[in-house]
Amino acid sequence: MSETMVYTCDICKKSKSKDDLARITVKADGIRMKNVGYSGIKIDICPECLKRKGFVVDFPENKEEQEQATLKNKATLEDKIYDFLVDMGVAFTE
């Protein structure tokens, strides 16, 4: 019997190959629900959605430019994490 696995970007909901998706895990320490730990939210996101959010997807070969891209991606993740949660419908609101 054969199996077909479908991989989907959590942001644009388009079907992608497994290797195309990046995984972002959002965890929270200290949240307990009836003595059960919270394992976090896993976000699978495709390169196109990452680019639209401002991430550098195609890393340059120059080491200095790679370091700059890494710093930019870190800052972008910190800035856009709420947007990811809103896109998935799991953001906290008051």
Side-chain angles (χ1 to χ4, degrees):
M1 179 153 95
S2 65
E3 253 183 41
T4 302
M5 298 293 288
V6 177
Y7 298 94
T8 306
C9 174
D10 289 327
I11 305 303
C12 67
K13 309 297 187 216
K14 292 181 182 175
S15 179
K16 302 290 177 176
S17 75
K18 179 182 177 182
D19 295 331
D20 276 347
L21 296 173
R23 174 164 280 176
I24 298 170
T25 303
V26 181
K27 290 187 173 188
D29 292 331
I31 295 178
R32 299 246 182 244
M33 294 172 256
K34 296 187 179 186
N35 296 323
V36 176
Y38 178 66
S39 63
I41 297 169
K42 292 176 177 53
I43 304 169
D44 292 323
I45 184 166
C46 69
E48 293 83 16
C49 288
L50 285 170
K51 286 178 186 176
R52 278 196 300 276
K53 296 287 185 186
F55 286 86
V56 177
V57 176
D58 301 316
F59 264 61
E61 292 185 26
N62 180 323
K63 185 170 174 108
E64 184 177 309
E65 290 175 0
Q66 287 177 355
E67 290 173 5
Q68 290 174 351
T70 299
L71 291 173
K72 181 182 185 318
N73 281 349
K74 182 180 180 204
T76 302
L77 178 60
E78 291 170 357
D79 185 48
K80 298 291 183 176
I81 195 67
Y82 183 75
D83 292 345
F84 288 132
L85 297 175
V86 168
D87 289 344
M88 292 182 60
V90 296
F92 292 103
T93 59
E94 294 195 28

